[in-house]
Each structure stands twice: as C-alpha cells, then as structure tokens.
Amino acid sequence: MSHKLNIAIVQSHLHWENPKDNRKMFGEKINSMPDNVDLIVLPEMFTSGFTMKPERLDMAEGDQTLNWMKKMAKERNSAISGSTVYQENNHYFNRLFFVYPDGTFKSYDKKHSFTLAGEDEAYTAGKEKLVLEYKGFRVCPLICYDLRFPVWARNVEGYDILFYVANWPKPRIAAWDTLLKARAIENMAYCIGVNRVGEDGLGYEYPGHSAVYDCLGEQMGYSEKDEIVYATLSKEHIESTRNKLRFLDDRDRFSLIV
C-alpha cells in the first residue's frame, strides 16, 4: 500500500504585529478545510508579519501561539507548521514549530538571517538543521532566506519533503520561483514554498507564488491569491523516481561547519 500525504498550504494576508487577529483569522481558515488534511503549513511569522521590532509584541506571544497550534492540531487531527516570533533567554528567534496531531512538537530556528532588513540584529540565528518523521515521510522545514543557500538544504539525510515558510517580497519573486523548483530537482524531493500576500506595515508588497513541486520539478500547485492550496504527496512517486534515476547516489559528500 502506497503512502499518501494530503497537505494544505495557507497563503494569506497578515495583520501587522497583531497575533490575536492573525490567530483568529488562521483558525477560521483551518476550520474551513476538509477533514482529510494531514499537514497544514502557514507562512513565516504568521502571527505578526516580518517585523524587525519583536519587542513590540508581548513576550508571552510565542508560547500563546504554540499553545494555539497544539489546540488546532488536536482538533483537526493534523500536523501544523509555521514560524513565529519567539523569545527565550533574553533572545528573540524566528522559530518554526512543527506540531503533531497529539500536541507534541519539534522546532527549527531560522539559520540564515536576512541582513538586508536587519534580521541579524533583531533575532538570534539557529545552528541546527531539522529533519523529522511524519506519517512515513521524512520532512525538512526551512525558513524564507534559507532558500538562497543550497548547501544548507542539501539532501544528505534522505528527506522526502522540503518546505519553506516565507515572507518573500514582490521585487525578488523571480528568485523565489526559480529556487523552489531548483531545490526540488537537485534534492529529488517534494519542495513546497508558502508565501504571504498583501502589504505589510512597512509598505512592502508580497505577491504570493506559493507552490508545490514534485521531485522532478513539475509544479503540482500554485497561487497568487489569498487562498488555500491543496496537494497530495506520494511516497511511491519519490521512491520509484529515485530508484529509476538514482541521481542522489552521485551527490557530493561533505561536512558542514556551522
């Protein structure tokens, strides 16, 4: 029996620096989904937008959002993932949570800080890559600017799904489109990008372009609107394609020094 994973990627506008309204909005969107969704992916900093002023948010917001994700995951019997502003030990992190249906979770702190916007001054960068198991799939979640650095994403762990949550602006959207497809092809994995739409509190515009690519770079889903994109991923497709073409057998071996 082949394994399938039904995913829902939520491309949405965001309420600027307003976690309460964002949680309410995403809760309504999630509750509109069909019952067979296995994994729900939300954008980067989905409760605030890409703010470089994390001190404007209540320090408890990170845990409140994590608790909200646990609640939604249990109610929907689906895993939920997205990143949020999180304060820990007097440091702020752009932290992604992957919350399982039973309420347990794993986290990933964004490795590559977007220095053009001063993210390196506002947030502490992560050092650990995360690859997790979910319903027979190995999953590697990353965040926005990480997309520009293929060495960090290189599939040395044998993951099946690579996904990026993002706030990727309109002026550089061609790079987003190109690199998502490239990451799928070079890693022989599903590659998913979840962006936002609309304008943020600083006047930057986000055009969406959330997309799903299979392990040969064929597009399975795409949107430029405020909407939910659905796709079904197949473990059999990954295994049969890799067994037939065996490109990963020829990959370069290296050690990454962080």
Side-chain angles (χ1 to χ4, degrees):
M1 181 178 179
S2 62
H3 292 291
K4 303 284 187 182
L5 193 72
N6 296 315
I7 65 167
I9 60 177
V10 187
Q11 179 167 275
S12 178
H13 74 282
L14 300 176
H15 299 285
W16 184 246
E17 297 178 348
N18 191 332
K20 183 178 178 180
D21 283 357
N22 282 312
R23 286 193 294 266
K24 180 177 184 293
M25 176 187 67
F26 280 110
E28 292 170 353
K29 290 177 184 288
I30 289 170
N31 284 329
S32 74
M33 296 176 182
D35 293 335
N36 68 339
V37 173
D38 299 304
L39 171 61
I40 300 164
V41 189
L42 310 177
E44 177 185 25
M45 291 190 178
F46 69 90
T47 57
S48 63
F50 192 58
T51 178
M52 294 300 101
K53 300 290 184 180
E55 66 276 5
R56 291 178 180 171
L57 306 179
D58 189 311
M59 69 174 60
E61 283 296 347
D63 284 326
Q64 288 178 10
T65 294
L66 176 58
N67 289 334
W68 173 86
M69 293 174 76
K70 291 178 179 180
K71 177 177 179 289
M72 296 303 300
K74 288 181 179 179
E75 289 178 358
R76 298 295 306 184
N77 192 31
S78 171
I80 297 178
S81 190
S83 89
T84 187
V85 175
Y86 196 87
Q87 186 182 38
E88 185 176 67
N89 298 326
N90 296 318
H91 292 274
Y92 289 103
F93 297 89
N94 184 348
R95 179 166 293 178
L96 176 144
F97 290 106
F98 188 102
V99 181
Y100 293 87
D102 66 0
T104 60
F105 67 93
K106 295 184 181 297
S107 64
Y108 164 74
D109 294 329
K110 187 176 183 181
K111 166 69 166 64
H112 298 93
S113 299
F114 188 50
T115 54
L116 186 63
E119 187 179 14
D120 57 320
E121 298 175 1
Y123 297 92
T124 299
K127 296 181 178 180
E128 299 290 335
K129 186 177 178 182
L130 173 65
V131 176
L132 56 92
E133 303 275 348
Y134 181 59
K135 290 199 169 184
F137 290 78
R138 288 173 61 77
V139 184
C140 178
L142 297 175
I143 303 175
C144 203
Y145 194 44
D146 287 333
L147 179 60
R148 288 187 177 270
F149 304 95
V151 173
W152 186 241
R154 189 64 177 135
N155 194 0
V156 296
E157 301 89 357
Y159 61 70
D160 307 302
I161 302 168
L162 175 67
F163 73 75
Y164 294 86
V165 302
N167 278 208
W168 199 284
K170 185 176 181 180
R172 295 178 294 280
I173 202 64
W176 167 263
D177 294 337
T178 302
L179 295 177
L180 282 176
K181 185 172 184 176
R183 296 294 90 84
I185 294 168
E186 70 194 11
N187 293 303
M188 294 204 78
Y190 287 106
C191 185
I192 301 161
V194 186
N195 198 19
R196 60 161 294 181
V197 292
E199 190 173 293
D200 69 14
L202 301 176
Y204 293 107
E205 184 179 352
Y206 301 86
H209 289 226
S210 294
V212 181
Y213 294 92
D214 74 6
C215 60
L216 293 175
E218 295 294 328
Q219 193 176 88
M220 301 172 60
Y222 174 83
S223 177
E224 297 179 14
K225 300 185 297 183
D226 188 319
E227 66 177 343
I228 301 168
V229 177
Y230 297 95
T232 299
L233 313 186
S234 167
K235 181 81 169 184
E236 183 180 23
H237 168 71
I238 298 171
E239 291 178 344
S240 62
T241 304
R242 288 177 176 173
N243 288 335
K244 179 181 179 181
L245 300 176
R246 311 197 72 82
F247 295 147
L248 289 180
D249 291 352
D250 300 323
R251 61 193 153 186
D252 299 310
R253 307 291 174 178
F254 61 87
S255 296
L256 188 63
I257 300 174
V258 179

